[in-house]
Amino acid sequence: NFMLTQPHSVSESPGKTVTISCTGSSGSIASNYVQWYQQRPGSAPTTVIYEDNLRPSGVPDRFSGSIDSSSNSASLTISGLKTEDEADYYCQSYDSNNHEVFGGGTKLTVL
Amino acid sequence: EVQLVESGGVVVQPGGSLTLSCAASGFTFDDYTMHWVRQAPGKGLEWVSLISWDGDSTYYADSVKGRFTISRDNSKNSLYLQMNSLRTEDTAFYYCAKGPERPAIFHGMDVWGQGTTVTVSS
């Protein structure tokens, strides 16, 4: 089964830049769109990146997404970190079995 | 403003049944794929099921296939999840989420509801 692997946690200081990776287990991650979701404690998820690198309205341009075919990975980069960015982040794509797939999530700590 | 409001979450015994509902507003409901996604306590997100804009196509996670049924009533702007043969491992927060506009089906979710809690316990 297709899987997406994320680091369990990352941490960085306010004002810095952090990148969260999402690696596909098989096939080409570039073949299907990747989305990224933010989930703050006690809240529902919200979309921060869709179709690999597009931002929904209202999401600041500090958030960006990219695909690296050579490593079969997607990445979410957050620049100018703020304490409000502290949350769990999930990547998501879909597989050849017509299943949507989520990564295991990455806990971002801004300290 | 797009809004999704889930309801129907309760405590149910193992082997029992339950139907969740999701009321949608603020968009043309019958133009969009819809999803159910769940999150067990302290765990990550797990996709459960999706239904195409016209209801003709449905897909399920292996963990619920044969036990859960997704449906929609476009005349009522509503999404449903019928859950049968419930197991303790189905205990989770269940989110309704809006998918892509037709004809796309597999482009993830863009708006999420606030969720409803299902607890399966004796």
Side-chain angles (χ1 to χ4, degrees), chain A residues 3 6 8-12 14 17 24 28 30 32 35-36 39 59-60 64 66 70-71 87 90 98 101 104 108:
Chain A
M3 296 174 56
Q6 301 180 232
H8 180 69
S9 63
V10 296
S11 61
E12 190 50 271
T17 297
S28 171
N32 299 315
Q35 283 63 237
W36 288 91
Q39 187 178 33
V59 174
S64 63
S66 63
S70 65
S71 60
Y90 297 89
N98 295 326
V101 178
L108 169 63

Side-chain angles (χ1 to χ4, degrees), chain B residues 26-106:
Chain B
F27 64 103
T28 306
F29 184 70
D30 57 7
D31 278 346
Y32 290 85
T33 289
M34 296 295 295
H35 298 265
W36 288 101
V37 177
R38 69 184 181 182
Q39 187 170 33
K43 302 297 184 182
L45 300 174
E46 179 188 15
W47 174 75
V48 173
S49 182
L50 75 79
I51 186 168
S52 61
W53 62 93
D54 56 5
D56 283 352
S57 298
T58 58
Y59 301 94
Y60 299 91
D62 292 344
S63 58
V64 306
K65 193 169 186 177
R67 300 187 298 122
F68 290 11
T69 302
I70 191 171
S71 62
R72 64 192 296 161
D73 185 339
N74 286 344
S75 69
K76 296 182 178 179
N77 287 354
S78 292
L79 176 72
Y80 306 100
L81 185 67
Q82 181 179 348
M83 309 163 68
N84 297 329
S85 302
L86 281 161
R87 306 167 179 167
T88 55
E89 55 263 38
D90 295 319
T91 294
F93 214 63
Y94 284 74
Y95 294 101
C96 162
K98 174 176 164 283
E101 187 174 12
R102 60 175 177 173
I105 294 179
F106 297 104

Side-chain angles (χ1 to χ4, degrees), chain A residues 52-72:
Chain A
D52 297 342
N53 56 17
L54 301 180
R55 285 187 314 277
S57 60
V59 174
D61 60 6
R62 301 185 297 105
F63 290 79
S64 63
S66 63
I67 301 292
D68 182 353
S69 298
S70 65
S71 60
N72 208 36

Side-chain angles (χ1 to χ4, degrees), chain A residues 3-6 21-23 35-37 89-93 101-106, chain B residues 44-46:
Chain A
M3 296 174 56
L4 295 170
T5 300
Q6 301 180 232
S21 63
C22 170
T23 302
Q35 283 63 237
W36 288 91
Y37 307 101
Y89 291 86
Y90 297 89
C91 61
Q92 173 268 319
S93 189
V101 178
F102 285 96
T106 299
Chain B
L45 300 174
E46 179 188 15

